[in-house]
Tab-separated table of all heavy atoms in Angstrom:
chain	number	residue	atom	x	y	z
A	131	ILE	N	-17.159	10.667	-5.158
A	131	ILE	CA	-17.037	9.639	-6.186
A	131	ILE	C	-18.002	9.977	-7.321
A	131	ILE	O	-19.215	10.025	-7.110
A	131	ILE	CB	-17.343	8.240	-5.623
A	131	ILE	CG1	-16.525	7.973	-4.351
A	131	ILE	CG2	-17.077	7.180	-6.684
A	131	ILE	CD1	-15.036	8.055	-4.529
A	132	ILE	N	-17.494	10.222	-8.511
A	132	ILE	CA	-18.308	10.625	-9.654
A	132	ILE	C	-18.203	9.574	-10.746
A	132	ILE	O	-17.180	9.451	-11.424
A	132	ILE	CB	-17.870	12.003	-10.190
A	132	ILE	CG1	-17.996	13.068	-9.096
A	132	ILE	CG2	-18.696	12.402	-11.413
A	132	ILE	CD1	-17.492	14.450	-9.513
A	133	ASN	N	-19.255	8.798	-10.893
A	133	ASN	CA	-19.344	7.789	-11.955
A	133	ASN	C	-18.154	6.825	-11.951
A	133	ASN	O	-17.574	6.527	-12.996
A	133	ASN	CB	-19.479	8.464	-13.332
A	133	ASN	CG	-20.742	9.279	-13.447
A	133	ASN	OD1	-21.799	8.870	-12.973
A	133	ASN	ND2	-20.643	10.454	-14.040
A	134	GLN	N	-17.806	6.349	-10.775
A	134	GLN	CA	-16.766	5.334	-10.645
A	134	GLN	C	-17.226	4.267	-9.666
A	134	GLN	O	-17.874	4.571	-8.653
A	134	GLN	CB	-15.443	5.949	-10.151
A	134	GLN	CG	-14.755	6.841	-11.171
A	134	GLN	CD	-13.348	7.217	-10.736
A	134	GLN	OE1	-13.149	8.187	-10.018
A	134	GLN	NE2	-12.366	6.433	-11.164
A	135	GLU	N	-16.903	3.018	-9.970
A	135	GLU	CA	-17.200	1.915	-9.068
A	135	GLU	C	-16.192	0.808	-9.314
A	135	GLU	O	-15.600	0.722	-10.386
A	135	GLU	CB	-18.634	1.404	-9.283
A	135	GLU	CG	-18.920	0.895	-10.679
A	135	GLU	CD	-20.404	0.603	-10.903
A	135	GLU	OE1	-21.215	1.550	-10.914
A	135	GLU	OE2	-20.744	-0.583	-11.062
A	136	GLY	N	-16.000	-0.027	-8.306
A	136	GLY	CA	-15.066	-1.138	-8.453
A	136	GLY	C	-14.050	-1.170	-7.334
A	136	GLY	O	-14.240	-0.602	-6.259
A	137	THR	N	-12.925	-1.834	-7.613
A	137	THR	CA	-11.867	-2.014	-6.622
A	137	THR	C	-10.775	-0.970	-6.831
A	137	THR	O	-10.088	-0.956	-7.852
A	137	THR	CB	-11.272	-3.424	-6.710
A	137	THR	OG1	-12.305	-4.374	-6.458
A	137	THR	CG2	-10.157	-3.621	-5.695
A	138	PHE	N	-10.645	-0.109	-5.864
A	138	PHE	CA	-9.583	0.894	-5.817
A	138	PHE	C	-8.738	0.591	-4.579
A	138	PHE	O	-8.977	-0.375	-3.862
A	138	PHE	CB	-10.178	2.300	-5.699
A	138	PHE	CG	-11.086	2.691	-6.841
A	138	PHE	CD1	-12.397	2.219	-6.911
A	138	PHE	CD2	-10.655	3.549	-7.846
A	138	PHE	CE1	-13.240	2.574	-7.942
A	138	PHE	CE2	-11.491	3.911	-8.889
A	138	PHE	CZ	-12.788	3.426	-8.944
A	139	TRP	N	-7.765	1.453	-4.322
A	139	TRP	CA	-7.039	1.325	-3.070
A	139	TRP	C	-6.417	2.656	-2.713
A	139	TRP	O	-6.363	3.577	-3.545
A	139	TRP	CB	-6.014	0.199	-3.121
A	139	TRP	CG	-4.868	0.328	-4.102
A	139	TRP	CD1	-4.949	0.458	-5.451
A	139	TRP	CD2	-3.471	0.304	-3.788
A	139	TRP	NE1	-3.701	0.501	-6.005
A	139	TRP	CE2	-2.778	0.404	-5.019
A	139	TRP	CE3	-2.742	0.171	-2.606
A	139	TRP	CZ2	-1.383	0.412	-5.080
A	139	TRP	CZ3	-1.350	0.175	-2.677
A	139	TRP	CH2	-0.693	0.290	-3.896
A	140	TRP	N	-6.031	2.798	-1.473
A	140	TRP	CA	-5.373	4.012	-1.015
A	140	TRP	C	-3.989	3.636	-0.479
A	140	TRP	O	-3.770	2.532	-0.005
A	140	TRP	CB	-6.195	4.723	0.068
A	140	TRP	CG	-6.492	3.888	1.276
A	140	TRP	CD1	-7.600	3.122	1.509
A	140	TRP	CD2	-5.646	3.713	2.428
A	140	TRP	NE1	-7.502	2.472	2.716
A	140	TRP	CE2	-6.318	2.818	3.301
A	140	TRP	CE3	-4.396	4.203	2.799
A	140	TRP	CZ2	-5.774	2.422	4.523
A	140	TRP	CZ3	-3.851	3.808	4.005
A	140	TRP	CH2	-4.537	2.937	4.852
A	141	HIS	N	-3.066	4.571	-0.593
A	141	HIS	CA	-1.712	4.285	-0.084
A	141	HIS	C	-0.952	5.586	0.118
A	141	HIS	O	-1.276	6.625	-0.472
A	141	HIS	CB	-0.949	3.355	-1.030
A	141	HIS	CG	-0.732	3.878	-2.426
A	141	HIS	ND1	0.284	4.756	-2.751
A	141	HIS	CD2	-1.388	3.619	-3.587
A	141	HIS	CE1	0.244	5.022	-4.047
A	141	HIS	NE2	-0.771	4.351	-4.580
A	142	ALA	N	0.058	5.516	0.963
A	142	ALA	CA	0.947	6.663	1.132
A	142	ALA	C	1.637	6.956	-0.190
A	142	ALA	O	1.933	6.056	-0.975
A	142	ALA	CB	1.984	6.381	2.218
A	143	HIS	N	1.869	8.243	-0.455
A	143	HIS	CA	2.574	8.636	-1.687
A	143	HIS	C	3.725	9.571	-1.314
A	143	HIS	O	3.861	10.669	-1.843
A	143	HIS	CB	1.624	9.304	-2.673
A	143	HIS	CG	1.963	9.038	-4.119
A	143	HIS	ND1	3.176	9.388	-4.668
A	143	HIS	CD2	1.260	8.443	-5.108
A	143	HIS	CE1	3.180	9.048	-5.955
A	143	HIS	NE2	2.033	8.460	-6.239
A	144	SER	N	4.529	9.090	-0.372
A	144	SER	CA	5.660	9.858	0.124
A	144	SER	C	6.789	8.886	0.420
A	144	SER	O	6.645	7.985	1.249
A	144	SER	CB	5.248	10.604	1.408
A	144	SER	OG	6.291	11.414	1.886
A	145	LYS	N	7.896	9.032	-0.320
A	145	LYS	CA	9.020	8.108	-0.177
A	145	LYS	C	8.508	6.660	-0.325
A	145	LYS	O	7.737	6.353	-1.217
A	145	LYS	CB	9.741	8.339	1.145
A	145	LYS	CG	10.275	9.750	1.327
A	145	LYS	CD	11.577	9.969	0.644
A	145	LYS	CE	12.236	11.276	1.010
A	145	LYS	NZ	11.437	12.480	0.743
A	146	TRP	N	8.956	5.767	0.608
A	146	TRP	CA	8.538	4.360	0.559
A	146	TRP	C	7.532	4.024	1.664
A	146	TRP	O	7.377	2.861	2.040
A	146	TRP	CB	9.752	3.448	0.695
A	146	TRP	CG	10.462	3.169	-0.598
A	146	TRP	CD1	10.450	3.930	-1.733
A	146	TRP	CD2	11.297	2.044	-0.888
A	146	TRP	NE1	11.228	3.359	-2.705
A	146	TRP	CE2	11.765	2.195	-2.207
A	146	TRP	CE3	11.708	0.935	-0.155
A	146	TRP	CZ2	12.620	1.275	-2.805
A	146	TRP	CZ3	12.551	0.014	-0.746
A	146	TRP	CH2	12.998	0.187	-2.070
A	147	LEU	N	6.816	5.004	2.165
A	147	LEU	CA	5.877	4.736	3.246
A	147	LEU	C	4.767	3.777	2.838
A	147	LEU	O	4.180	3.100	3.683
A	147	LEU	CB	5.250	6.039	3.745
A	147	LEU	CG	6.032	6.858	4.777
A	147	LEU	CD1	5.170	7.982	5.293
A	147	LEU	CD2	6.501	5.982	5.932
A	148	ARG	N	4.474	3.700	1.539
A	148	ARG	CA	3.353	2.837	1.150
A	148	ARG	C	3.658	1.355	1.356
A	148	ARG	O	2.753	0.524	1.249
A	148	ARG	CB	2.921	3.116	-0.288
A	148	ARG	CG	3.756	2.484	-1.391
A	148	ARG	CD	3.029	2.623	-2.738
A	148	ARG	NE	3.773	2.022	-3.831
A	148	ARG	CZ	3.669	0.745	-4.190
A	148	ARG	NH1	2.857	-0.068	-3.521
A	148	ARG	NH2	4.376	0.256	-5.202
A	149	ALA	N	4.914	1.007	1.684
A	149	ALA	CA	5.226	-0.384	2.008
A	149	ALA	C	4.361	-0.888	3.160
A	149	ALA	O	4.039	-2.074	3.227
A	149	ALA	CB	6.707	-0.530	2.369
A	150	THR	N	3.974	0.008	4.066
A	150	THR	CA	3.149	-0.404	5.219
A	150	THR	C	1.882	0.429	5.363
A	150	THR	O	1.022	0.084	6.174
A	150	THR	CB	3.950	-0.300	6.528
A	150	THR	OG1	4.427	1.049	6.702
A	150	THR	CG2	5.152	-1.243	6.507
A	151	VAL	N	1.760	1.511	4.590
A	151	VAL	CA	0.588	2.395	4.696
A	151	VAL	C	-0.241	2.233	3.436
A	151	VAL	O	-0.009	2.891	2.418
A	151	VAL	CB	1.021	3.864	4.902
A	151	VAL	CG1	-0.195	4.787	4.958
A	151	VAL	CG2	1.848	3.997	6.179
Side-chain angles (χ1 to χ4, degrees):
I131 309 301
I132 301 176
N133 297 320
Q134 290 190 273
E135 60 189 67
T137 300
F138 300 78
W139 64 301
W140 58 267
H141 61 82
H143 213 301
S144 183
K145 302 278 190 302
W146 275 24
L147 276 188
R148 80 168 181 88
T150 58
V151 178

